[in-house]
Amino acid sequence: MNNTVKHFGVTEDDLRKVIAEAMSRGGSYSDLYFENTLMNSLSLRDGAVNSATSDVDFGMGVRVLSGDRTGYAYTENITLADMLKVAATAANIANSKVAGISPVKINRQTFKNYYPVEKLWEDVSIKDKAPYLQKLNDRIFELDSNVCKVNISLSDMSSYILFFNSEGLLCSDYRPMVSLNAFCVMEKNGRIENGYSARSFRKGVEFLTDELVETLAAKVVRLTSLMFEAITPKGGEMPVVMAAGSSGILLHEAIGHSFEADFNRKKISIFSDKFGEQICDKSINIVDDGTLPENRGTINFDDEGVESQKTYLVREGRLSSYIHDRISAEYYKVAPTGNGRRESFRHAPLPRMRATYMENGNIRENDIVASVKNGLYVDNFSNGEVQIGAGDFTFFVKSGYLIENGKLTQPVKDINIIGNGPKALADIAMVGDNLKIDDSTWTCGKDGQGVPVSQGLPSVLVKKLIVGGAV
């Protein structure tokens, strides 16, 4: 706690005064969110590390809740006078004649740490990090003579968080984040293809290893070289086997957003009237988890001071929980699930996913593929989107394979998968035993805010999806 508080120079008396001002016009709840984020990036282009940037994001936000209304204001100057001003601004949303009550006793809370750091990013310089970008660049060129261009970027971030609310809860967190990205271009017989690979974790400098360099280099070269063999398949409705790992985008786009409780509370989501119902096969369990060690989507506590947890959204095929923040939890009269998240101190929290995945089934992937006469196997994705109300989704498939007579044959590329969330979930006919969490640089956007997330899936067979391919 003391290590984090020093970044903000506030006292417990300051916190009490600001909360008292925030509650002065009768809000039912208020919280203060302090953030000091240190960001560094390093880029390699044309064979040399030639770009570096650093930035600091520093400030605090005050939120006041009053019934269905939310007041929010923030400041980049953490003086008592400035904090009192933004507290008064946020308090105006309440407009009640009865003043709120500031906390009598401060409750300092310590939560389990899911991302212990061996060495802080603040303790290393560019010269310590640059050799790993150079090694990765050189290794990619070594692996394939067709490589003609490589771009590599490394970004690290250290966020110090301090949280205090009108219930007296006081807690702090140190949140690291690091991402290493490799983009590769190859030319072969006058044809150009590209590929991308990345890893992202809540880790310190120990993230940088020779093993990581080798893993990323091998993956990006394999994916890029495969593109020369790939075709755009004929489109239409067909069975789709989604490979373990990044196919978790199916859960994120087709299902996860529709499980977020604000959409259900407002009756926007197609799942708003399906709580407790059987929505898919009994073999399916879907989790949103904030406790995976060092995972990109993990948080020790959410941005409302709620301890992180593993939440079953679907248990044995039944919709068993929405994704809650404090507001939706109060509405549904349930406990928050630790999903109140915000992009920064400039934003109020919303119900957001963390690491969303399906638990293992008991079928081998080979047997799932063998069950399909003609269909598609997909294993590498770049993005997606969903219409919350209708549940319709689409996502872009970078690579995969045709399935012909139960075997993987011709590589495919650059296609769209289109479907409807509830229908796709109900159409999952087989679930593999090979769950994999994808550790790439996934970021989820909602209401203008982006937060780091991750996703995972064992191999699954969806009986019918629309494939947008060649006519």
Side-chain angles (χ1 to χ4, degrees):
M1 178 74 70
N2 290 335
N3 188 45
T4 302
V5 171
K6 74 177 183 180
H7 286 267
F8 305 104
V10 295
T11 66
E12 290 184 2
D13 189 51
D14 292 336
L15 298 176
R16 289 176 183 273
K17 288 177 180 178
V18 178
I19 281 287
E21 180 63 32
M23 300 291 286
S24 63
R25 300 194 65 179
S28 57
Y29 169 88
S30 179
D31 56 36
L32 316 180
Y33 182 87
F34 295 78
E35 177 188 359
N36 181 11
T37 294
L38 317 173
M39 297 168 282
N40 302 288
S41 66
L42 200 59
S43 298
L44 178 148
R45 190 182 297 266
D46 298 327
V49 177
N50 48 28
S51 175
T53 63
S54 294
D55 196 9
V56 177
D57 208 16
F58 184 88
M60 63 87 66
V62 181
R63 179 176 64 154
V64 179
L65 303 182
S66 180
D68 292 333
R69 295 170 294 176
T70 298
Y72 197 79
Y74 69 87
T75 177
E76 296 174 354
N77 299 309
I78 302 181
T79 66
L80 181 57
D82 286 315
M83 290 191 292
L84 289 173
K85 285 179 183 178
V86 295
T89 300
N92 285 334
I93 192 69
N95 289 320
S96 172
K97 295 180 180 179
V98 181
I101 301 173
S102 59
V104 175
K105 182 180 180 181
I106 291 180
N107 173 26
R108 299 176 189 82
Q109 185 72 44
T110 300
F111 298 102
K112 183 176 179 179
N113 185 12
Y114 294 103
Y115 30 84
V117 170
E118 295 177 19
K119 189 172 184 180
L120 301 179
W121 290 105
E122 299 95 298
D123 295 338
V124 298
S125 65
I126 290 175
K127 67 179 180 63
D128 297 311
K129 296 182 283 189
Y132 288 93
L133 279 70
Q134 195 66 58
K135 284 181 186 179
L136 180 53
N137 174 81
D138 296 347
R139 186 59 179 142
I140 292 171
F141 275 99
E142 287 173 2
L143 287 173
D144 197 308
S145 60
N146 294 308
V147 175
C148 59
K149 184 176 182 179
V150 172
N151 293 337
I152 298 171
S153 64
L154 173 69
S155 63
D156 62 79
M157 184 168 68
S158 299
S159 292
Y160 294 85
I161 304 298
L162 181 66
F163 180 87
F164 183 59
N165 69 12
S166 54
E167 298 170 353
L169 174 65
L170 178 62
C171 53
S172 65
D173 200 10
Y174 171 77
R175 297 175 179 174
M177 184 70 73
V178 57
S179 303
L180 182 60
N181 309 266
F183 178 78
C184 173
V185 179
M186 291 185 186
E187 184 174 5
K188 187 176 181 181
N189 299 325
R191 181 175 160 190
I192 294 176
E193 296 288 354
N194 64 74
Y196 170 86
S197 184
R199 290 290 185 275
S200 183
F201 291 94
R202 290 198 182 276
K203 285 187 175 183
V205 182
E206 62 276 7
F207 167 80
L208 294 173
T209 64
D210 291 340
E211 180 183 4
L212 173 66
V213 167
E214 187 64 34
T215 298
L216 276 182
K219 182 174 181 180
V220 75
V221 167
R222 177 180 62 82
L223 291 176
T224 308
S225 61
L226 185 66
M227 294 299 97
F228 290 104
E229 306 171 33
I231 63 169
T232 300
K234 186 176 180 180
E237 190 175 68
M238 64 186 72
V240 176
V241 176
M242 309 196 75
S246 66
S247 296
I249 194 172
L250 172 71
L251 301 181
H252 185 96
E253 297 295 350
I255 301 160
H257 280 296
S258 297
F259 284 176
E260 289 169 340
D262 51 347
F263 294 130
N264 288 279
R265 177 171 60 89
K266 299 170 185 176
K267 309 301 181 186
I268 296 172
S269 169
I270 197 166
F271 288 103
S272 61
D273 61 350
K274 292 180 171 56
F275 188 83
E277 292 185 10
Q278 195 83 31
I279 59 174
C280 55
D281 190 84
K282 291 182 179 181
S283 65
I284 293 176
N285 296 289
I286 299 173
V287 170
D288 186 80
D289 196 346
T291 67
L292 298 177
E294 300 176 331
N295 183 268
R296 178 173 169 84
T298 291
I299 42 178
N300 292 330
F301 61 85
D302 73 1
D303 298 330
E304 299 181 303
V306 177
E307 185 172 13
S308 206
Q309 61 181 268
K310 177 180 178 179
T311 304
Y312 278 87
L313 306 177
V314 175
R315 191 186 288 270
E316 296 181 350
R318 291 186 180 276
L319 175 51
S320 58
S321 177
Y322 294 130
I323 292 171
H324 289 289
D325 62 358
R326 285 180 179 266
I327 294 175
S328 65
E330 173 64 24
Y331 176 86
Y332 283 100
K333 304 303 178 187
V334 297
T337 56
N339 289 91
R341 305 187 65 192
R342 63 183 100 198
E343 180 178 309
S344 74
F345 68 89
R346 296 179 178 86
H347 305 272
L350 299 166
R352 307 295 298 273
M353 284 173 275
R354 300 162 301 185
T356 310
Y357 58 92
M358 184 183 294
E359 292 189 332
N360 272 326
N362 58 6
I363 305 175
R364 295 184 307 168
E365 183 185 75
N366 287 344
D367 293 333
I368 295 176
V369 173
S371 73
V372 178
K373 181 173 178 59
N374 290 293
L376 197 65
Y377 176 94
V378 291
D379 62 0
N380 189 25
F381 304 82
S382 60
N383 54 52
E385 60 183 36
V386 63
Q387 292 181 326
I388 302 299
D392 296 327
F393 65 86
T394 180
F395 41 81
F396 185 76
V397 178
K398 182 67 176 174
S399 67
Y401 293 86
L402 291 178
I403 302 176
E404 298 175 296
N405 296 317
K407 297 184 182 299
L408 302 183
T409 57
Q410 180 73 40
V412 298
K413 66 174 182 176
D414 299 344
I415 54 179
N416 286 306
I417 297 290
I418 303 165
N420 176 269
K423 189 175 186 306
L425 186 59
D427 278 346
I428 294 177
M430 304 175 80
V431 180
D433 60 1
N434 58 341
L435 169 63
K436 178 182 177 183
I437 304 297
D438 188 72
D439 293 317
S440 191
T441 53
W442 297 102
T443 298
C444 174
K446 177 180 176 180
D447 289 359
Q449 296 190 47
V451 297
V453 296
S454 64
Q455 55 207 24
L457 199 72
S459 298
V460 300
L461 169 62
V462 184
K463 289 186 289 187
K464 285 187 295 184
L465 287 170
I466 297 173
V467 175
V471 178

